[in-house]
Amino acid sequence: ILQLSDPSSSFVMAYKPRATFEQEFFEEANQHFTVKLLHRVELPHQKYSESYSAPIDIFEMKLIAGTERQRDTFDFEKAGYVFIDD
């Protein structure tokens, strides 16, 4: 996400906790982004295949000024990504 971001970027992300190691993502994200909880919903387990109910959180992430310089460390074209102009 960092490599795709610029100061005007805003990402919306849905997250449902499943394992404790996932917290590492948020620890890293908080170094580069403001992370704001927009909404939390609890889905009953009868509605999906998992056997327990956990909240689903909707977050908004915005790049913190000064961290955009790190996005130049990855060459998307060299990695085979194709960009389409609007």
Side-chain angles (χ1 to χ4, degrees):
I1 296 173
L2 179 61
Q3 296 165 346
L4 296 172
S5 300
D6 66 30
S8 66
S9 298
S10 179
F11 298 93
V12 176
M13 179 184 84
Y15 169 70
K16 178 181 175 190
R18 292 183 175 86
T20 56
F21 68 84
E22 294 171 342
Q23 187 60 34
E24 294 173 18
F25 170 83
F26 290 98
E27 291 168 2
E28 180 71 21
N30 282 325
Q31 294 179 29
H32 306 286
F33 297 90
T34 59
V35 181
K36 176 182 174 186
L37 178 65
L38 298 177
H39 186 69
R40 173 174 279 178
V41 63
E42 186 91 21
L43 298 177
H45 70 277
Q46 296 89 349
K47 300 281 185 186
Y48 54 93
S49 62
E50 296 180 27
S51 61
Y52 68 95
S53 182
I56 294 178
D57 295 330
I58 309 296
F59 292 99
E60 178 183 41
M61 299 173 62
K62 292 185 177 182
L63 188 66
I64 296 170
T67 59
E68 64 271 5
R69 67 184 181 283
Q70 296 180 22
R71 69 191 300 256
D72 296 330
T73 61
F74 185 82
D75 186 337
F76 286 93
E77 289 179 6
K78 189 181 258 186
Y81 288 86
V82 176
F83 295 94
I84 300 171
D85 293 327
D86 293 331

